[in-house]
Amino acid sequence: MSRSGNKKPVGFPTHIIAGGIAGACEALACQPLDTIKVRMQLSKSGRAPGTKPRGFIATGAYIMKRETPLALYKGLGAVLSGIVPKMAIRFASFEAYKDFLADKETGKTSLGGIFVAGLGAGVTEAVAVVTPMEVVKIRLQAQHHSLADPLETPKYRNAGHAVYTIVREEGFGALYRGVSLTALRQATNQGTSIAIRSGANFTAYQEIKKFAHRMQPDLPELPSYQHMLIGLISGAMGPFSNAPIDTIKTRLQKATAIPGQSAVQRIVGIAADMWRVEGVTAFYKGITPRVLRVAPGQAIVFAVYERVSGLIEKVKPTVQDDYHSE
């Protein structure tokens, strides 16, 4: 992700450290918006004739009033526990796929190659980390218990207990419920499902970043605010295209499996029920907090990633020189 082709590629340890820190910053800043999005996607409000679904602000206020403001951070433990492997896999696999698809003579990757590399990165992170992490996160976020009442015991106490309970009651496969939808979502925005999400996100980011460098040839590196702005623009491109898939995925991962029913039958059943009972707007429930979460979240991720990886790469030569001088 460097500016110059003469610069050495960022090492895998740098991807882990910079990606992990960037992902943690994103989660801490954006988790409340994600919780509101999940509650809106699972909400049955507005089903009755003459009523409207609870909106973004009303949902957030409802959660805080009934369950305390801390409830907006339900599922944060599951997210943070998967942040380092998720971000490491995202950036490292993207660079690996991009290098594999690069022209053997010039070493450059075409726009189409970058898009395919982004798709691959999205699918890889979806299968390896994101799906089980989201199943646990959604189960925790869906619980309507008050954190202020010690006598009100939730089914899942924390991320570790949720994993144990899900595996014990539903089997290990339950952690991978919705993996195809998650991969499909992560792959246009870096998620029109996981595969489509990565492609658009990384492609847009790379191309806008190149344009910014051309407009400012005297700058050795782009300032952090420009990385954040580029990430904001690229991150906003996916949610609208993959909103229906994300909503179906959320409902699928929250529900328990029905014996004898295949994954395809469950997905079709959920989509048909949403269409029949709630109408087309049900597929876009939670779109406001999702856009507000994904776009700024990507801005934070790319800005922090570029800053931290740049600092690490600057420090590494000094450490090596000191080592060899002894």
Side-chain angles (χ1 to χ4, degrees):
M1 293 205 167
S2 61
R3 175 182 180 180
S4 174
N6 299 322
K7 199 172 180 179
K8 287 185 178 181
V10 175
F12 185 71
T14 301
H15 287 304
I16 295 177
I17 297 170
I21 293 174
C25 290
E26 177 200 18
L28 290 169
C30 302
Q31 184 66 13
L33 292 169
D34 190 69
T35 300
I36 293 172
K37 180 211 76 169
V38 167
R39 288 292 184 87
M40 290 178 71
Q41 289 177 330
L42 296 175
S43 174
K44 291 183 171 62
S45 64
R47 286 191 172 190
T51 62
K52 292 183 178 180
R54 192 178 290 115
F56 162 55
I57 295 177
T59 300
Y62 183 78
I63 293 172
M64 290 190 289
K65 181 179 178 181
R66 293 197 61 185
E67 305 171 47
T68 79
L70 285 176
L72 294 173
Y73 284 90
K74 285 179 178 179
L76 180 62
V79 175
L80 291 177
S81 65
I83 278 296
V84 172
K86 172 187 172 182
M87 301 309 293
I89 289 170
R90 172 184 296 182
F91 285 103
S93 63
F94 173 71
E95 293 293 341
Y97 294 138
K98 190 175 75 170
D99 290 343
F100 177 77
L101 294 168
D103 185 278
K104 304 306 179 194
E105 295 182 1
T106 64
K108 294 182 179 180
T109 308
S110 66
L111 180 61
I114 291 174
F115 181 76
V116 172
L119 294 181
V123 172
T124 302
E125 73 172 20
V127 174
V129 179
V130 177
T131 301
M133 182 185 76
E134 287 204 347
V135 169
V136 173
K137 175 183 69 71
I138 287 169
R139 295 293 182 93
L140 290 166
Q141 289 174 320
Q143 296 186 123
H144 290 258
H145 73 287
S146 175
L147 298 176
D149 185 357
L151 298 178
E152 190 176 355
T153 306
K155 180 175 182 179
Y156 308 115
R157 295 192 295 271
N158 50 49
H161 181 251
V163 171
Y164 171 77
T165 304
I166 292 170
V167 172
R168 185 190 64 191
E169 295 182 353
E170 304 172 51
F172 184 79
L175 293 175
Y176 281 87
R177 188 168 298 146
V179 65
S180 58
L181 293 176
T182 304
L184 182 60
R185 186 204 65 203
Q186 291 298 101
T188 49
N189 179 36
Q190 198 246 87
T192 295
S193 133
I194 241 174
I196 298 181
R197 174 176 169 182
S198 267
N201 195 2
F202 273 117
T203 304
Y205 182 79
Q206 292 279 324
E207 292 308 304
I208 297 172
K209 185 179 171 183
K210 288 178 185 176
F211 176 78
H213 278 305
R214 288 197 296 270
M215 293 296 100
Q216 305 165 100
D218 296 332
L219 285 180
E221 294 291 340
L222 296 178
S224 293
Y225 81 88
Q226 291 189 19
H227 283 302
M228 183 169 284
L229 182 60
I230 296 169
L232 182 73
I233 295 171
S234 65
M237 301 181 78
F240 285 104
S241 62
N242 57 43
I245 292 174
D246 190 62
T247 303
I248 296 170
K249 177 200 69 71
T250 297
R251 296 198 179 193
L252 177 67
Q253 291 177 326
K254 194 267 180 183
T256 55
I258 300 174
Q261 190 179 51
S262 68
V264 174
Q265 288 174 323
R266 289 198 295 272
I267 292 170
V268 171
I270 290 171
D273 183 65
M274 289 170 62
W275 180 275
R276 183 179 64 255
V277 179
E278 302 170 68
V280 68
T281 56
F283 294 93
Y284 288 87
K285 279 188 173 181
I287 186 64
T288 301
R290 183 157 182 251
V291 171
L292 291 176
R293 185 209 182 287
V294 171
Q298 292 303 308
I300 293 169
V301 164
F302 281 114
V304 174
Y305 176 84
E306 295 280 4
R307 173 62 64 180
V308 174
S309 62
L311 290 173
I312 293 173
E313 293 301 301
K314 286 179 182 177
V315 170
K316 280 167 62 177
T318 303
V319 173
Q320 291 170 354
D321 291 343
D322 291 344
Y323 174 81
H324 289 297
S325 66
E326 290 180 357

